[in-house]
Amino acid sequence: MEEKAQQLTTDVPGTGADAALSVLQRVEFSSASHPIHWSPVKKWIIVVIYCSLQTFITLTTTTYVSAEFLVQEKYGGSTQVVALGQSMFIVGTAVGPAFLGPLSDIGGRKWIYVASIGVYAILNIGTALARNLPMLIIFQFLCGAAGSTALSNVAGTIADLFGDMDGAGQPMALFVMSANYGPSIGSPIGELIAENEKLGLPWIFWINVIIGGAFAIIMCFVPETLPRVVISDAARKHKSSDPNEIVVMSERVDVLREIRFVTSMAFRIMLTEPIVTFLGIYNGFAYGLLFLYLDGVFDVFVVNNGLSYMSADLTYLNFVVSVTIMFLFVPVQTWLYTRDRKRNGGVGRPEARFLTSLLFVWGFPISLLWFAFTCDGSVSFWSPIVAGGLLGFCDPLLWLSMLNYIADSYTNVAASAIAAFLIPSFLIAAACCHIGIVMFNNLGAKWAMATLGFISFGLVALVYVLYFFGPRIRKWSKLARKH
C-alpha cells in the first residue's frame, strides 16, 4: 500500500505536489470518513467560527488607524512613519501564508490555527508594551504574519468541508464577507477605545490579547478538517481494511518540499503568468481602496460635512451593509455559472465566473467618481455614504470571482496560483496605506477619489479582456488548463 501511495504522488499528470494532491483528493472523497460527508450544521458551525476569527484578525488593519494620533503623541514620528504600523501588519499577512499554509498539511489545520493565534495573542503583548515606535512596527509585522492563518487557511478549511468551488460557493462568499467585515467595523471600534480615557492606545492591543487567547482556547475543541488526517484517524480507530483509506494513511507530507514548491511555483507564476499577475495587481488596488477610502473619511465627513470623529468612522459601516448584500447575491452568480456550464456540455468555463462582474465591475468607477464629486459638503453626506456602499458591494464580489477564476484556471497548481495572486494584492494594499496619505494631502478628497475612479477603468477593461479573450490567453500558458 505504501508503494501505491508513493505512485499516486509521483505518476500524476500535472505539476508537482498540487497535481499529486488532486489524485489523493479523489481517493479521499471515496471514504465515508471524509469531512465532506459531515452534517451541514456541523460544517457551517466550523466555517462560522473560522470566519469570525478572520473578522477579528482583520480588525487590526483599521483599529490601528483610529489610534494613529495617539501613537504619534506617545512615540513621535511623521504621519508616514506612524502608518508603517498598519502597512507592516498587512505585509505580515502576505508573508505568513508562504509557510503557515504548507505547515497545515503536516498534522492538520487545527493545531496550526491554535498555535498561530495563540502566538498572535502573545505578540500583541509586545505591541501593547512597546517602548518605542520601531518596536511597535516590528511587533505589528509579526502579529500580521501570525494572524495570517485566518486569511490563508480558512479557504482551505472550506474546501475540506464542501469540496470544489461549486459546492463551496456560499461558504466562500461568507469567507469574503468576513474578510471585509473586519476593516469595516475596526475603525469605529478603534475610535471608541481611543476616545475612552480609561482605555487609550494600549487597549487597542490588549483587547487582541484577550480575544485572541479566547479564540485559541475555543479552537482546541473544533474538530480537525484536513481530510487526510480525519480519514487516517478514523481508519486507525476502526481498524479499517478499505484500500483507499489505507492509501490515505500511507501518504506522507514532506513539509520542506511543500514549502519550497508552493513558494517557488508562486513566484514562477507571478513572473510568467500575466493572468495571475494582473489580477493580483488590480486586486491589490481594489483591496487598497478600503484603506484609501479610510484616509479620506476625516476630510470628507469631519471637515466638509461637520460630523464628529465617531460619526465619521461610523460611515465606514456602509461596507458592512454592502458586503452582506453581496453574500445574499452570490446564489445568482452560482446559478448563472451552472447554467453556462450546462450550455457548454457540462464543462465549466473559468471565464463564466465573471458573468455578474461584467455588469458590477462598472461600480468601481461609478462609485468612486460619485463619491468624489459629492464629497465637498455641497450635498447631503448620505450621497458619498451610498457611493461608498456601492463600492463595498462590487469590491468583494469581484474578489470572489477572481479567486474562483484562478482556482478553475490553474487546477493543478491552485494553491501556488492563489498565493501568487494574494502576495502582490497584500503588498499593494500595504502601499496604499501610504499612497492615500500623499494623495489626500496633495490633491484633496475630491480629486484623490476622482483619480482612483479614472484608474479603475483599467479594472473594467481587465475583466472584459479576461471574459472575451481568456481562453486564448490560457492557450499560451504552460500551467493553465486549456479546455
Side-chain angles (χ1 to χ4, degrees):
M1 285 302 173
E2 289 185 1
E3 292 178 359
K4 184 176 180 181
Q6 181 64 28
Q7 184 178 3
L8 279 171
T9 61
T10 55
D11 297 341
V12 181
T15 305
D18 282 355
L21 184 60
S22 65
V23 174
L24 284 166
Q25 284 176 334
R26 290 196 291 271
V27 174
E28 291 167 355
F29 282 144
S30 65
S31 171
S33 302
H34 196 291
I36 201 172
H37 302 303
W38 291 350
S39 71
V41 173
K42 180 178 180 179
K43 291 192 289 187
W44 273 101
I45 289 175
I46 295 171
V47 170
V48 168
I49 290 173
Y50 286 135
C51 285
S52 300
L53 171 68
Q54 182 178 225
T55 296
F56 161 64
I57 294 296
T58 53
L59 279 174
T60 302
T61 58
T62 50
T63 52
Y64 179 88
V65 177
S66 296
E68 281 183 342
F69 72 98
L70 294 176
V71 174
Q72 204 161 19
E73 287 178 4
K74 183 174 182 179
Y75 301 113
S78 66
T79 303
Q80 287 284 13
V81 174
V82 170
L84 280 170
Q86 180 194 21
S87 62
M88 292 307 293
F89 182 90
I90 299 171
V91 170
T93 62
V95 173
F99 58 91
L100 287 177
L103 278 175
S104 68
D105 288 327
I106 302 177
R109 307 195 194 282
K110 172 179 177 175
W111 297 111
I112 294 298
Y113 278 119
V114 173
S116 61
I117 300 306
V119 170
Y120 173 82
I122 294 170
L123 288 171
N124 268 279
I125 298 175
T127 56
L129 300 177
R131 295 188 175 184
N132 50 55
L133 189 54
M135 182 178 176
L136 176 64
I137 292 170
I138 291 170
F139 270 101
Q140 279 285 90
F141 169 77
L142 296 174
C143 287
S148 66
T149 301
L151 303 175
S152 62
N153 283 10
V154 174
T157 300
I158 290 173
D160 295 342
L161 296 170
F162 292 91
D164 60 19
M165 298 307 292
D166 292 342
Q170 206 59 33
M172 279 298 292
L174 182 65
F175 164 75
V176 172
M177 183 175 76
S178 62
N180 283 268
Y181 269 6
S184 301
I185 65 177
S187 187
I189 289 175
E191 192 68 43
L192 280 172
I193 297 172
E195 289 184 354
N196 191 319
E197 295 181 358
K198 295 181 179 180
L199 298 177
L201 178 62
W203 277 95
I204 294 285
F205 310 110
W206 284 123
I207 286 179
N208 288 344
V209 176
I210 296 169
I211 300 178
F215 262 111
I217 294 171
I218 291 170
M219 289 186 297
C220 289
F221 302 96
V222 176
E224 176 60 61
T225 64
L226 187 67
R228 179 178 60 81
V229 176
V230 174
I231 294 170
S232 297
D233 289 346
R236 291 189 185 95
K237 181 178 180 181
H238 301 293
K239 298 181 179 179
S240 173
S241 59
D242 185 327
N244 286 333
E245 292 186 347
I246 294 175
V247 168
V248 174
M249 290 173 61
S250 303
E251 196 263 336
R252 295 288 183 268
V253 175
D254 184 339
V255 66
L256 293 178
R257 176 176 177 272
E258 189 75 7
I259 292 175
R260 285 196 304 269
F261 175 80
V262 171
T263 304
S264 61
M265 181 58 69
F267 281 103
R268 175 185 169 186
I269 291 172
M270 284 172 59
L271 296 174
T272 63
E273 296 293 318
I275 293 176
V276 179
T277 303
F278 282 107
L279 283 176
I281 290 171
Y282 271 101
N283 184 62
F285 167 73
Y287 185 42
L289 283 176
L290 294 173
F291 308 112
L292 291 168
Y293 178 89
L294 186 59
D295 284 328
V297 163
F298 177 83
D299 288 342
V300 171
F301 295 106
V302 176
V303 177
N304 295 349
N305 288 280
L307 300 183
S308 66
Y309 291 138
M310 177 53 68
S311 297
D313 281 322
L314 288 174
T315 64
Y316 215 58
L317 296 181
N318 58 356
F319 279 81
V320 173
V321 176
S322 300
V323 77
T324 303
I325 296 173
M326 181 280 303
F327 174 77
L328 299 174
F329 177 80
V330 165
V332 176
Q333 165 62 23
T334 303
W335 177 79
L336 288 172
Y337 176 78
T338 303
R339 187 183 67 169
D340 182 88
R341 183 172 59 186
K342 289 179 180 178
R343 291 179 175 180
N344 198 39
V347 178
R349 297 185 305 127
E351 289 73 28
R353 298 293 188 181
F354 290 118
L355 282 169
T356 54
S357 296
L358 291 173
L359 172 63
F360 290 111
V361 71
W362 288 98
F364 279 85
I366 290 172
S367 62
L368 291 168
L369 294 174
W370 176 3
F371 187 98
F373 293 108
T374 62
C375 71
D376 59 0
S378 60
V379 298
S380 171
F381 63 83
W382 281 105
S383 182
I385 288 176
V386 175
L390 175 60
L391 177 65
F393 173 84
C394 299
D395 191 342
L397 184 66
L398 182 60
W399 185 29
L400 182 60
S401 297
M402 288 178 176
L403 285 172
N404 289 338
Y405 178 80
I406 291 173
D408 286 352
S409 297
Y410 295 87
T411 51
N412 285 341
V413 286
S416 300
I418 290 177
F421 166 70
L422 291 178
I423 289 172
S425 297
F426 288 135
L427 294 178
I428 292 171
C432 285
C433 298
H434 300 277
I435 294 170
I437 295 172
V438 175
M439 289 184 67
F440 283 95
N441 285 343
N442 294 337
L443 300 177
K446 178 179 179 179
W447 288 108
M449 296 301 290
T451 300
L452 297 174
F454 294 133
I455 292 173
S456 68
F457 279 106
L459 183 58
V460 175
L462 177 64
V463 169
Y464 276 80
V465 167
L466 286 179
Y467 182 79
F468 290 105
F469 301 103
R472 186 179 303 176
I473 296 172
R474 283 188 284 115
K475 285 183 180 179
W476 299 336
S477 170
K478 294 181 180 180
L479 298 174
R481 56 177 266 221
K482 307 299 189 291
H483 61 279

